[in-house]
Amino acid sequence: MILLEVLTIPVDDPVAFTFFTGYMAMMAASVFFFFERSRVTGKWKLSLLISGLITFIAAVHYYYMRDYYLSTGDNPTALRYIDWTLTVPLMCVEFYLLTKAAGAKKSLLVKLIIASVWMLVFGYIGEAFNPEGGSTSHSVIYGVLSTLGYIYILYTAWIGEVAQLSKKSDNPLIQKSVRILAWFVLVGWAVYPIGYMCMPGGWLNIAFGWEPSSVDLFYNIADAINKIGFGLVVYNLAASDTERLAESTQ
Ligand SMILES: *C/C=C(C)/C=C/C=C(C)/C=C/C1=C(C)CCCC1(C)C
């Protein structure tokens, strides 16, 4: 007799649930961005391609993370950080492309990418090398180091170069979109450190007894909001600008 092992989703497991929904939502968003790309004006096609790549890369990782979580019950930390190491720099590319017409230089992109890699490398050390049973000092030290990279990106989006360039832009649609993306970085991205603090030794784990599996619950919800949301803001900008250009040439 052949025994087939079937992976089932426990109905009372919100983490597994969000892994499945997250996977499907990322996949659907990618199809949407790839198809809509053909409808927007030339200068926004690359931005829409990047939006689609962000959700597509995430979808592939969710496919694997979902299985990993269901078969082991553990946090798929390595897959999670591989995903982020690819997708967060691509989100920096979106900021660069939006402000390019107003004079953004390659150096802005390089600085943003260095800050995101800094943030993710220290976050990874904090999670993956957390000693057995959890160490608060380990979690805090690497959490704080990682946060420095996050603050740099936040600063750039709200006060620094990206904000300045957006102010100089003569396109109000770009100004509005950069502002919304900056809100995503401030509010949406702030969910990740909350998840991080649920791991053994983390402050929320100690203070409220939040389970280590909640790390993934927070990450999954944040990923869906940030990756799809970011893409939709860029899509909305591209579609509105295409319409505006069509009207002005009539
Ligand atoms: C699509 C994935 C995104 C936008 C991931 C963003 C991740 C972060 C903003 C992570 C930040 C962290 C800290 C600020 C401190 C603790 C460690 C991290 C890596 C969870």
Side-chain angles (χ1 to χ4, degrees), residues 26 54 58 81 83-84 87-88 91 119-120 122-124 127 139 142-144 146-148 150-151 185 188-190 192-197 219 222-223 226-227:
M26 296 290 183
I54 291 170
Y81 277 85
D83 173 341
W84 290 353
T87 51
V88 178
M91 294 170 108
M119 173 180 92
L120 296 173
F122 286 115
Y124 184 69
E127 284 192 55
S139 150
Y142 290 102
V144 167
S146 168
T147 303
L148 296 178
Y150 174 46
I151 290 174
V185 176
W189 290 25
Y192 296 100
I194 298 176
Y196 177 91
M197 289 186 273
Y219 289 172
D223 269 0
N226 290 309
K227 292 186 165 63

Side-chain angles (χ1 to χ4, degrees), residues 162-238:
V162 167
Q164 296 301 327
L165 286 165
S166 145
K167 237 183 264 165
K168 273 202 298 177
S169 161
D170 50 9
N171 187 341
L173 287 169
I174 291 184
Q175 293 176 352
K176 192 177 126 214
S177 306
V178 167
R179 182 42 68 98
I180 302 174
L181 291 187
W183 273 108
F184 269 96
V185 176
L186 180 64
V187 181
W189 290 25
V191 177
Y192 296 100
I194 298 176
Y196 177 91
M197 289 186 273
C198 294
M199 72 170 153
W203 282 344
L204 294 174
N205 180 285
I206 293 170
F208 305 112
W210 288 3
E211 299 285 326
S213 65
S214 328
V215 174
D216 285 300
L217 187 61
F218 283 108
Y219 289 172
N220 289 354
I221 293 170
D223 269 0
I225 295 172
N226 290 309
K227 292 186 165 63
I228 300 173
F230 234 70
L232 285 174
V233 172
V234 172
Y235 164 72
N236 188 46
L237 163 66

Side-chain angles (χ1 to χ4, degrees), residues 28-40 48 235:
S30 314
V31 172
F32 177 77
F33 294 135
F34 288 145
F35 271 88
E36 286 300 302
R37 190 180 162 277
S38 63
R39 287 208 315 142
V40 302
L48 237 67
Y235 164 72

Side-chain angles (χ1 to χ4, degrees), residues 28 37 40 43 59 97 100 117-118 130 157 181 190 210 230 249:
R37 190 180 162 277
V40 302
K43 67 173 175 180
L97 290 176
K100 207 172 141 199
V117 171
W118 170 289
N130 189 21
L181 291 187
W210 288 3
F230 234 70
T249 52

